[in-house]
Amino acid sequence: MIQNFAIDQAATFESLLFLSCEPKIAFGDSFRQETTKDGLPKWEAQLVARFRQFGRATNEIIKVGLVAERPPAEDLAPATPVELVGFEIGVMDKKDRNGNVTGAQVWYRSQEVRPIASTAPRPRRGETAPAQSEAAAS
């Protein structure tokens, strides 16, 4: 069964704003950062994702896993518009203590968090950008 899916960020979100990035703490050991099998440190970025649901704008905080030697977003200020390079979503079974499947667990990961220059909202399909509509009105 397919469990990892590549995400078209531009088609999924209206915007992504960076909030923070911290070391991912190892399960059961709050003093140790989790690492990959190769020993690379794991990080967890928190982002505000804005998307449309039932025709209305919705915002949700998502946690995105990253792997890097150094903090992957150390130069980003909170509320910086970002893009996620190599953005994936994963789905796996959520099980109880007896191993019975009780639902699904969703997780996000990315290769890189990169700032984007534009902070203006993109016009929606069929709309014109504000500069164009002002020029058309004169």
Side-chain angles (χ1 to χ4, degrees):
M1 177 192 325
I2 299 172
Q3 295 179 339
N4 296 9
F5 302 89
I7 301 299
D8 179 348
Q9 178 181 322
T12 304
F13 302 116
E14 288 185 353
S15 66
L16 280 174
L17 299 178
F18 172 78
L19 292 177
S20 65
C21 187
E22 300 290 333
K24 183 171 183 175
I25 302 303
F27 183 75
D29 185 351
S30 60
F31 298 104
R32 186 174 62 84
Q33 184 173 3
E34 193 171 316
T35 59
T36 64
K37 292 177 184 176
D38 299 333
L40 290 171
K42 290 185 178 183
W43 305 86
E44 185 174 79
Q46 290 192 35
L47 307 155
V48 176
R50 180 180 174 94
F51 56 96
R52 291 254 163 221
Q53 188 171 12
F54 304 112
R56 299 181 67 177
T58 302
N59 296 292
E60 191 171 302
I61 294 177
I62 62 171
K63 295 179 181 181
V64 178
L66 297 134
V67 174
E69 281 290 334
R70 299 181 36 198
E74 64 185 346
D75 296 332
L76 295 177
T80 299
V82 295
E83 67 177 333
L84 298 170
V85 177
F87 186 43
E88 294 181 329
I89 186 173
V91 181
M92 56 191 223
D93 290 338
K94 187 174 190 177
K95 297 181 181 181
D96 64 16
R97 293 180 187 202
N98 299 321
N100 300 314
V101 176
T102 60
Q105 184 172 339
V106 177
W107 50 266
Y108 305 98
R109 75 176 167 205
S110 179
Q111 297 168 357
E112 182 183 350
V113 178
R114 184 182 300 161
I116 55 176
S118 175
T119 57
R122 293 184 312 209
R124 286 188 222 127
R125 198 176 301 193
E127 292 181 359
T128 58
Q132 293 173 336
S133 60
E134 288 172 13
S138 6

